[in-house]
């Protein structure tokens, strides 16, 4: 199997995890580019938070890398992601937009871009999907 066929052959949980992570990457980029504080920013933000929460929660059922029992350091990042999501929402509701923005930027970079880059390491599913092998 090659590329997209390989992805479609992966377990449904991994497909959902990857699609929602990709969606969060795109929506996050849109959020950074658009005006803040608007109704659309809040709606897209809620969708982004839902995507991120599902991506983090679904990771607890994905065990391709095992370091401590079925878990790895990536699962610690998932815990941190869920905590940071909750804190960022709380900060926005309190009106502390400066800290809210910092938390969201950190999540985007650490939980999506850097972690996403690790999925492109040789031997991982997304590496095989994009680069063959």
């Amino acid at each position: 199997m090659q590329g997209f066929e390989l992805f479609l052959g992966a377990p449904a949980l991994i497909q959902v995890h990857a699609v929602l992570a990709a969606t969060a990457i795109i929506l996050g980029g849109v959020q950074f580019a658009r005006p803040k504080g608007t109704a659309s920013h809040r709606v897209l933000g809620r969708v982004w938070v839902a995507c991120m929460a599902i991506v983090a929660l679904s990771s607890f059922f994905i065990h391709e890398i095992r370091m401590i029992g079925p878990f790895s350091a990536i699962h610690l990042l998932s815990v941190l992601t869920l905590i940071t999501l909750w804190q960022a929402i709380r900060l926005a509701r309190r009106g502390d937009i400066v800290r809210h923005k910092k938390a969201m930027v950190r999540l985007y970079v650490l939980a999506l871009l850097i972690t996403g880059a690790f999925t492109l390491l040789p031997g991982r599913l997304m590496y095989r999907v994009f680069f063959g092998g």
Side-chain angles (χ1 to χ4, degrees):
M1 269 192 281
Q2 297 258 333
F4 195 63
E5 294 169 357
L6 185 62
F7 179 74
L8 292 177
L13 178 67
I14 291 176
Q15 292 177 23
V16 168
H17 181 85
V19 167
L20 289 179
T23 301
I25 289 171
I26 293 165
L27 283 179
V30 169
Q31 285 290 76
F32 291 136
R34 293 180 41 101
K36 310 303 178 266
T38 63
S40 64
H41 176 81
R42 288 188 293 278
V43 169
L44 286 178
R46 287 181 178 108
V47 173
W48 187 83
V49 166
C51 287
M52 290 296 293
I54 295 168
V55 168
L57 290 168
S58 66
S59 77
F60 294 111
F61 302 97
I62 299 171
H63 306 288
E64 288 183 347
I65 301 171
R66 296 170 183 255
M67 297 171 77
I68 302 170
F71 300 108
S72 71
I74 293 169
H75 295 101
L76 291 175
L77 181 59
S78 294
V79 171
L80 180 62
T81 296
L82 292 168
I83 291 168
T84 306
L85 280 171
W86 176 75
Q87 289 173 336
I89 292 165
R90 202 178 81 213
L91 290 166
R93 287 182 177 166
R94 288 183 178 171
D96 190 345
I97 302 307
V98 170
R99 289 177 59 204
H100 166 76
K101 181 180 178 180
K102 287 179 184 177
M104 290 303 194
V105 169
R106 258 191 318 264
L107 274 173
Y108 188 81
V109 172
L110 294 174
L112 285 174
L113 299 184
I114 293 174
T115 303
F118 282 110
T119 69
L120 298 175
L121 290 174
R124 305 281 318 268
L125 173 64
M126 296 315 287
Y127 175 89
R128 294 190 316 267
V129 166
F130 286 109
F131 307 114

